[in-house]
Amino acid sequence: MKVLVIGGGAREHALCRSLSQDPAVTELHCAPGNAGIAQVATVHPVDQLDGAQVTALAVRLGAELVVVGPEAPLVAGVADAVRAAGVPVFGPSAEAALLEGSKAFAKDVMAGAGVPTARSYVCTTAAEAAEALDAFGPPYVVKDDGLAAGKGVVVTSDRAEALAHAGACERVVIEEYLDGPEVSLFAITDGTTVLPLQPAQDFKRALDGDQGPNTGGMGAYSPLPWAPEGLVEDVLATVLQPTVDELRRRGTPFSGLLYAGLALTSRGTRVIEFNARFGDPETQVVLARLRTPLAGVLHASATGTLDQLEPLRWDEGAAVTVVIAAEGYPAAPRTGDPIEGLAEAEAADGTAYVLHAGTKADDDGRVLSAGGRVLSVTATGTDLVEARERAYRSVGLISLAGGQHRGDIALKAAQ
Ligand code: AMP
């Protein structure tokens, strides 16, 4: 199978790494890719938001499967363009990707499907926002309605800050605060059949102890030893399947990756958000544990044949990923700094590997930082203690001027 992956972050590097290890994959391409992806796939300089460019590339390469990684191309209709050319695509239509692209749409779908989520109001004026904030009380949760790369949400007990965020966005969703631990559960779907993956947890705040600003994610681990038994089956029955059924019923079937961000509250499991694609950095740890070759699973989603797939096989062990971010991330990341120690980090033991997020190679072949999140250092082990040790040992061997990472990824869960 010839496969083309769209995107250029650590998620796409993880996807490409798994696809490159799948014996069914005869050619692997990625656009635009990054310096790490270039080691396992042929990279192509393409505007990933331009459906015509991506389609032309897919057709020229004779791709038999296109995998769209990030949300922005999905919301821009890139999957639709490729599909219209007759190429199987892993990723939802623009209409179905609104599940992520509009928080208000997602709330409407959840209401229709009877999926448990935070009570909420959609507000477009300061007066509406103030009323909604006072209806729920602190802590306040204010979400930009549109795509914001994980940075459109403000959770604060400061009413003025909540109001200011609402004022800075055109349309916001204001909702009740959900307590309890968060879980990310991914499912592969073809619009009818839903195949949940293993749950993971990510770390959204920039600093240890969940301090500092929200980020795209600073690390993740899987499995979750503390999660209640039956969690996956429960979420499949109460969240994932009803959502997929509701979208099909509305005439906007969702195929691709349905990501449920969940809060396990004292009153039960609630959906915090849906995403329409693999989450980054959870993908790094979920794929690290998936034993079933990936291409066939994604192809079955793209061709509506998931019901014929064998049950997925998983590694019983654990996986941890630690993100190394640039100085100044998330507010104003500095780019262009050389990265050293990559080979040493991978040689440190048999299981750790470095997934590239924001990197590029310069003319001399040196790897430079080229984004806010720069690397995602991933390792597996028999348990979280071992996977953490291995991941952090490799992190310690990498040097990036001003680079920052959290020291407490998976720490509590490993204890
Ligand atoms: P989202 O982009 O919707 O995932 O929100 C980003 C982060 O904000 C989530 O991972 C949560 O940590 C937090 N958050 C979002 N909604 C709520 C809520 N209703 N209650 C508490 N925290 C929330």
Side-chain angles (χ1 to χ4, degrees), residues 103 118 141 143 153 155 175-178 182 204 214 272-273:
K103 305 260 185 207
V141 182
K143 303 185 173 187
V153 177
V155 181
E175 65 180 34
E176 83 185 296
Y177 179 79
L178 299 174
E182 289 179 31
K204 286 253 194 301
N214 255 325
I272 293 184
E273 63 161 348

Short mmCIF file of all heavy atoms in Angstrom, two decimals, residues 103 118 141 143 153 155 175-178 182 204 214 272-273, ligand 1:
data_model
loop_
_atom_site.label_atom_id
_atom_site.label_comp_id
_atom_site.label_asym_id
_atom_site.label_seq_id
_atom_site.Cartn_x
_atom_site.Cartn_y
_atom_site.Cartn_z
N LYS A 103 -17.22 24.44 18.82
CA LYS A 103 -17.64 23.90 20.13
C LYS A 103 -19.16 23.91 20.22
O LYS A 103 -19.76 23.03 20.84
CB LYS A 103 -17.05 24.74 21.25
CG LYS A 103 -15.54 24.88 21.20
CD LYS A 103 -14.85 23.94 22.15
CE LYS A 103 -13.35 24.16 22.18
NZ LYS A 103 -12.58 23.00 22.54
N ALA A 118 -20.73 18.98 29.90
CA ALA A 118 -21.00 20.11 30.79
C ALA A 118 -22.17 20.92 30.25
O ALA A 118 -22.29 21.12 29.03
CB ALA A 118 -19.75 20.98 30.89
N VAL A 141 -15.34 28.64 32.93
CA VAL A 141 -14.77 27.97 31.75
C VAL A 141 -15.30 28.69 30.51
O VAL A 141 -16.51 28.68 30.26
CB VAL A 141 -15.17 26.48 31.71
CG1 VAL A 141 -14.54 25.80 30.50
CG2 VAL A 141 -14.77 25.78 33.00
N LYS A 143 -14.73 29.15 26.36
CA LYS A 143 -14.09 28.53 25.19
C LYS A 143 -14.41 29.29 23.92
O LYS A 143 -15.58 29.50 23.60
CB LYS A 143 -14.60 27.09 25.02
CG LYS A 143 -14.37 26.21 26.24
CD LYS A 143 -14.78 24.78 25.97
CE LYS A 143 -14.37 23.91 27.14
NZ LYS A 143 -14.58 22.48 26.88
N VAL A 153 -9.13 27.98 25.29
CA VAL A 153 -9.92 27.74 26.48
C VAL A 153 -9.28 28.43 27.68
O VAL A 153 -8.09 28.30 27.92
CB VAL A 153 -10.02 26.22 26.76
CG1 VAL A 153 -10.79 25.96 28.05
CG2 VAL A 153 -10.68 25.52 25.59
N VAL A 155 -9.71 28.68 31.79
CA VAL A 155 -10.34 28.19 33.02
C VAL A 155 -9.78 29.04 34.14
O VAL A 155 -8.58 29.04 34.38
CB VAL A 155 -10.02 26.70 33.28
CG1 VAL A 155 -10.70 26.21 34.55
CG2 VAL A 155 -10.44 25.84 32.09
N GLU A 175 -19.29 27.28 30.03
CA GLU A 175 -19.88 26.05 30.56
C GLU A 175 -19.53 25.81 32.00
O GLU A 175 -18.65 26.46 32.56
CB GLU A 175 -19.49 24.86 29.69
CG GLU A 175 -18.02 24.54 29.69
CD GLU A 175 -17.71 23.34 28.79
OE1 GLU A 175 -18.37 23.16 27.76
OE2 GLU A 175 -16.78 22.59 29.13
N GLU A 176 -20.22 24.87 32.60
CA GLU A 176 -19.98 24.54 34.00
C GLU A 176 -18.62 23.88 34.11
O GLU A 176 -18.16 23.20 33.20
CB GLU A 176 -21.09 23.62 34.53
CG GLU A 176 -20.90 22.17 34.21
CD GLU A 176 -22.07 21.29 34.65
OE1 GLU A 176 -22.33 21.19 35.85
OE2 GLU A 176 -22.69 20.68 33.76
N TYR A 177 -17.98 24.08 35.25
CA TYR A 177 -16.66 23.50 35.52
C TYR A 177 -16.82 22.02 35.85
O TYR A 177 -17.69 21.63 36.62
CB TYR A 177 -16.03 24.24 36.70
CG TYR A 177 -14.69 23.70 37.08
CD1 TYR A 177 -13.54 24.04 36.36
CD2 TYR A 177 -14.54 22.84 38.17
CE1 TYR A 177 -12.31 23.53 36.70
CE2 TYR A 177 -13.30 22.33 38.52
CZ TYR A 177 -12.19 22.68 37.78
OH TYR A 177 -10.96 22.17 38.12
N LEU A 178 -15.97 21.20 35.23
CA LEU A 178 -15.99 19.76 35.50
C LEU A 178 -14.78 19.41 36.35
O LEU A 178 -13.65 19.69 35.97
CB LEU A 178 -15.94 18.98 34.18
CG LEU A 178 -17.09 19.22 33.21
CD1 LEU A 178 -16.83 18.49 31.89
CD2 LEU A 178 -18.41 18.75 33.81
N GLU A 182 -8.80 13.82 33.93
CA GLU A 182 -9.13 13.80 32.50
C GLU A 182 -8.55 12.58 31.82
O GLU A 182 -7.46 12.13 32.17
CB GLU A 182 -8.59 15.06 31.83
CG GLU A 182 -9.36 16.30 32.24
CD GLU A 182 -8.81 17.55 31.59
OE1 GLU A 182 -8.29 17.48 30.47
OE2 GLU A 182 -8.89 18.61 32.24
N LYS A 204 -1.68 19.22 29.93
CA LYS A 204 -1.92 20.41 29.11
C LYS A 204 -1.12 21.62 29.57
O LYS A 204 -0.80 22.49 28.77
CB LYS A 204 -3.41 20.77 29.17
CG LYS A 204 -4.31 19.86 28.35
CD LYS A 204 -4.78 20.57 27.10
CE LYS A 204 -5.95 19.85 26.42
NZ LYS A 204 -5.68 18.49 26.02
N ASN A 214 -1.96 26.99 29.49
CA ASN A 214 -2.35 25.84 28.68
C ASN A 214 -1.46 25.75 27.44
O ASN A 214 -1.08 26.76 26.87
CB ASN A 214 -3.81 25.99 28.23
CG ASN A 214 -4.73 25.08 29.01
OD1 ASN A 214 -4.37 23.97 29.38
ND2 ASN A 214 -5.93 25.56 29.27
N ILE A 272 -15.52 16.62 27.76
CA ILE A 272 -15.02 17.99 27.79
C ILE A 272 -14.99 18.55 26.38
O ILE A 272 -15.36 19.69 26.14
CB ILE A 272 -13.59 18.03 28.39
CG1 ILE A 272 -13.63 17.66 29.87
CG2 ILE A 272 -12.97 19.40 28.20
CD1 ILE A 272 -12.30 17.76 30.55
N GLU A 273 -14.53 17.72 25.45
CA GLU A 273 -14.46 18.17 24.05
C GLU A 273 -14.31 16.96 23.15
O GLU A 273 -13.91 15.89 23.59
CB GLU A 273 -13.24 19.08 23.83
CG GLU A 273 -11.95 18.35 24.09
CD GLU A 273 -10.72 18.99 23.48
OE1 GLU A 273 -10.85 19.90 22.66
OE2 GLU A 273 -9.62 18.53 23.82
P1 AMP B 1 -10.49 21.83 25.46
O1 AMP B 1 -9.76 22.58 24.38
O2 AMP B 1 -11.96 21.95 25.40
O3 AMP B 1 -10.00 20.43 25.64
O4 AMP B 1 -10.03 22.47 26.84
C1 AMP B 1 -8.66 22.52 27.21
C2 AMP B 1 -8.53 22.16 28.65
O5 AMP B 1 -9.29 23.06 29.46
C3 AMP B 1 -9.07 20.78 28.99
O6 AMP B 1 -8.17 19.76 28.76
C4 AMP B 1 -9.39 20.94 30.46
O7 AMP B 1 -8.21 20.79 31.22
C5 AMP B 1 -9.85 22.36 30.55
N1 AMP B 1 -11.32 22.40 30.51
C6 AMP B 1 -12.08 22.51 29.39
N2 AMP B 1 -13.39 22.47 29.70
C7 AMP B 1 -13.47 22.34 31.04
C8 AMP B 1 -14.54 22.25 31.98
N3 AMP B 1 -15.81 22.33 31.60
N4 AMP B 1 -14.23 22.10 33.28
C9 AMP B 1 -12.94 22.05 33.68
N5 AMP B 1 -11.89 22.14 32.87
C10 AMP B 1 -12.13 22.28 31.56
#
